[in-house]
């Protein structure tokens, strides 16, 4: 495509300061799911950071000690997790647009498009085969266990 950028060897760090989307028409589904997964992980990490680290820190006492306004305590208490969240969201967005990683995700989606997925009836038939095989093997092992238990009891081993 004429609008796609050529693949360059920029580092991930230098890629963090660019706002363009790399090959925006290719691999959209895999890139969106990957980005959403990163965002969920970052949101959970930010929330956990607030709950475990930040929540019990005595910011108000520090504000009183250094004669700072009390709103500074809330700024630190809620601002640090929000800054972590914003940085993580930006990192996730930029990571899926980093040319090396984006090309990998584009290739993943191309391979997924080549997969021949089973129809509903094939899926039901295959699932039934697996379920009945597992039930048969479980009952067979149960019978073997009963036989060995009877043999050991008759021999007075257990």
């Amino acid at each position: 495509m004429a609008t796609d950028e050529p693949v360059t060897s920029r580092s991930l760090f230098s890629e963090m300061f660019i706002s363009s989307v790399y090959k925006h028409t290719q691999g959209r589904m895999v890139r969106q799911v990957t980005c959403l997964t990163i965002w969920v992980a970052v949101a959970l990490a930010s929330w956990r950071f607030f709950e475990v680290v930040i929540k019990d820190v005595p910011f108000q006492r520090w504000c009183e000690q250094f004669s700072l306004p009390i709103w500074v305590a809330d700024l630190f208490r809620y601002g640090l997790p929000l800054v972590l969240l914003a940085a993580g969201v930006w990192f996730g967005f930029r990571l899926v647009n980093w040319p090396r990683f984006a090309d990998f995700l584009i290739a993943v989606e191309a391979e997924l498009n080549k997969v021949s997925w089973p129809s509903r009836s094939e899926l039901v038939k295959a699932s039934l085969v697996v379920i009945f095989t597992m039930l048969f093997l479980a009952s067979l092992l149960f019978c073997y266990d009963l036989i060995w238990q009877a043999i050991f009891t008759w021999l007075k081993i257990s």
Side-chain angles (χ1 to χ4, degrees):
M1 298 187 118
T3 60
D4 293 338
E5 299 174 7
V7 177
T8 60
S9 61
R10 290 188 297 231
S11 69
L12 180 60
F13 181 75
S14 66
E15 195 69 30
M16 288 296 125
F17 303 106
I18 299 171
S19 63
S20 64
V21 177
Y22 177 74
K23 293 185 179 179
H24 61 90
T25 59
Q26 299 178 8
R28 289 184 65 189
M29 185 60 67
V30 173
R31 289 163 77 176
Q32 288 173 351
V33 169
T34 303
C35 190
L36 181 65
T37 304
I38 293 170
W39 288 353
V40 167
V42 165
L44 290 173
S46 299
W47 173 72
R48 193 70 178 144
F49 177 71
F50 173 75
E51 287 291 320
V52 173
V53 177
I54 296 294
K55 191 175 184 181
D56 297 328
V57 174
F59 287 116
Q60 290 178 344
R61 192 172 350 132
W62 292 350
C63 287
E64 292 169 1
Q65 182 179 0
F66 295 110
S67 64
L68 295 172
I70 200 69
W71 60 268
V72 174
D74 289 334
L75 181 67
F76 278 108
R77 177 170 283 120
Y78 300 112
L80 288 175
L82 287 175
V83 167
L84 178 67
L85 178 67
V89 166
W90 181 254
F91 176 77
F93 173 72
R94 290 312 311 152
L95 181 64
V96 297
N97 289 302
W98 184 33
R100 290 182 191 173
F101 192 59
D103 286 336
F104 169 74
L105 293 176
I106 290 167
V108 166
E109 186 166 324
E111 289 299 319
L112 281 174
N113 289 332
K114 295 177 186 177
V115 173
S116 61
W117 300 100
S119 66
R120 183 176 175 87
S121 64
E122 290 174 333
L123 182 65
V124 168
K125 289 177 186 175
S127 298
L128 288 175
V129 167
V130 169
I131 290 170
F132 284 124
T133 303
M134 294 302 293
L135 289 174
F136 172 73
L137 289 175
S139 60
L140 185 66
L141 288 174
F142 178 72
C143 292
Y144 286 156
D145 185 50
L146 288 177
I147 292 170
W148 280 107
Q149 186 178 11
I151 291 171
F152 287 150
T153 304
W154 180 70
L155 294 175
K156 297 181 183 177
I157 293 176
S158 62

